[in-house]
Amino acid sequence: MNSRRFPCSLFSLQVLFVSHVILGIPLSLSNPGLDMFSICRDPKFECGDISLGYPFSGEGIEHGCGHPDLQLSCDDGAAMLEIKGVRYKVLQVEHHDRTLQIARQDLENSLCNPEPEDSIFDSTLFNIISLIPGYVNVTLLYDCPFPTESYGVLNCSMKGDIYKNVSFEFEGEGMPPGAGDCSDNNVTVPILETSLTGTVLDYQSILKSLNAGFRVQLKDNPECQKCAGTGGTCGFEYVWNQTVCYCRNNTNLLLQECPPPQAPDKE
């Protein structure tokens, strides 16, 4: 008899079942009739020119198929991705190398209304392509009292601006003198150096460069690669916060890989 490998004990499965019933999370274990193998086979989020599937989640992708920290939404025809409370507009997708070009949505029209107000790009799910040559981190500093030749102080003059002025400093240059007198809130964003070449570093040039976005690459997922290599469909278990494998003939089991097909009985 062929044995099946289970990622947890029977007791753990019972606890997981109760958790899903209490939390109301639709997943194969609490929906015995649901064929998650077929449902998660190739779902797609579609918005404008952007089309994304696993490991992303969002409209068009059933719960249990995508990662909850890669939630996509479609706002007025623009694909949005939220990472650690910061919303990014997805400008471009390159499927062959799993990269995205993204730009902070809160800085699209103004440098002076960051949300959240104190943040830096941070994600355990992406490699930051901006670390390769050609990109540099720029930190926006707010309500600084010092006008210096190198960094300047740019006035925030749009209606509804949170801060009075914004200044900036580039990674590796060190914080400007008097930076401790600025607001405690600051925003650090990768920026393409070539987008600033030959330009005056003024408000509009910084804004334009930020709107050009930066590239990030999804990290490899060895668990999903293992699942796909055994003929399975990758999904995501919300309570355990881990990748799971849905298999054609074991759609209601939480596996890490699909078992080999059973050999036909010999007569």
Side-chain angles (χ1 to χ4, degrees):
M1 179 183 297
N2 290 329
S3 62
R4 293 177 178 175
R5 282 175 285 183
F6 295 85
C8 58
S9 66
L10 178 60
F11 175 75
S12 297
L13 287 173
Q14 290 172 338
V15 171
L16 180 62
F17 178 83
V18 173
S19 298
H20 278 296
V21 171
I22 294 174
L23 297 175
I25 299 175
L27 205 68
S28 59
L29 191 63
S30 56
N31 293 275
L34 212 56
D35 182 2
M36 297 300 287
F37 174 84
S38 298
I39 290 172
C40 297
R41 193 64 178 166
D42 192 29
K44 285 288 187 294
F45 166 87
E46 306 278 357
C47 180
D49 296 331
I50 302 300
S51 176
L52 287 165
Y54 184 86
F56 293 92
S57 57
E59 185 177 349
I61 300 176
E62 190 72 33
H63 286 287
C65 296
H67 199 296
D69 290 340
L70 292 174
Q71 183 79 23
L72 293 160
S73 61
C74 191
D75 296 354
D76 296 327
M80 297 290 180
L81 174 64
E82 184 169 319
I83 303 173
K84 297 292 182 69
V86 180
R87 283 167 55 83
Y88 295 87
K89 180 181 287 188
V90 182
L91 304 175
Q92 188 176 359
V93 177
E94 296 291 347
H95 293 282
H96 70 280
D97 60 359
R98 295 160 54 84
T99 63
L100 283 71
Q101 186 86 4
I102 61 176
R104 284 187 61 134
Q105 186 265 341
D106 57 327
L107 302 178
E108 183 175 16
N109 298 311
S110 172
L111 299 176
C112 300
N113 296 297
E115 297 179 11
E117 295 178 44
D118 186 13
S119 59
I120 184 173
F121 181 83
D122 178 26
S123 176
T124 59
L125 300 173
F126 291 100
N127 293 312
I128 306 176
I129 305 301
S130 60
L131 296 180
I132 65 174
Y135 284 87
V136 64
N137 281 333
V138 59
T139 297
L140 305 181
L141 307 168
Y142 293 100
D143 288 353
C144 299
F146 53 90
T148 68
E149 184 177 345
S150 299
Y151 299 93
V153 173
L154 308 176
N155 292 328
C156 296
S157 57
M158 292 184 62
K159 183 178 180 180
D161 280 345
I162 298 174
Y163 295 100
K164 298 176 183 177
N165 61 60
V166 57
S167 187
F168 50 88
E169 62 96 9
F170 292 98
E171 186 178 29
E173 294 184 349
M175 294 295 284
D181 296 327
C182 303
S183 166
D184 292 335
N185 295 324
N186 57 74
V187 171
T188 300
V189 189
I191 196 169
L192 189 62
E193 285 183 292
T194 56
S195 66
L196 298 174
T197 303
T199 64
V200 177
L201 298 184
D202 57 12
Y203 187 102
Q204 289 301 322
S205 65
I206 293 291
L207 185 65
K208 182 179 179 181
S209 298
L210 290 175
N211 286 333
F214 59 98
R215 289 172 59 208
V216 294
Q217 183 180 49
L218 280 167
K219 289 185 177 179
D220 291 335
N221 186 337
E223 292 83 7
C224 182
Q225 293 171 356
K226 185 177 183 180
C227 171
T230 58
T233 295
C234 299
F236 196 85
E237 210 299 304
Y238 282 27
V239 172
W240 287 345
N241 194 38
Q242 69 178 40
T243 298
V244 293
C245 188
Y246 301 120
C247 304
R248 187 181 301 275
N249 298 318
N250 300 276
T251 56
N252 300 313
L253 298 177
L254 295 176
L255 304 174
Q256 292 179 330
E257 60 181 299
C258 295
Q262 294 183 350
D265 294 334
K266 295 182 180 180
E267 297 183 358

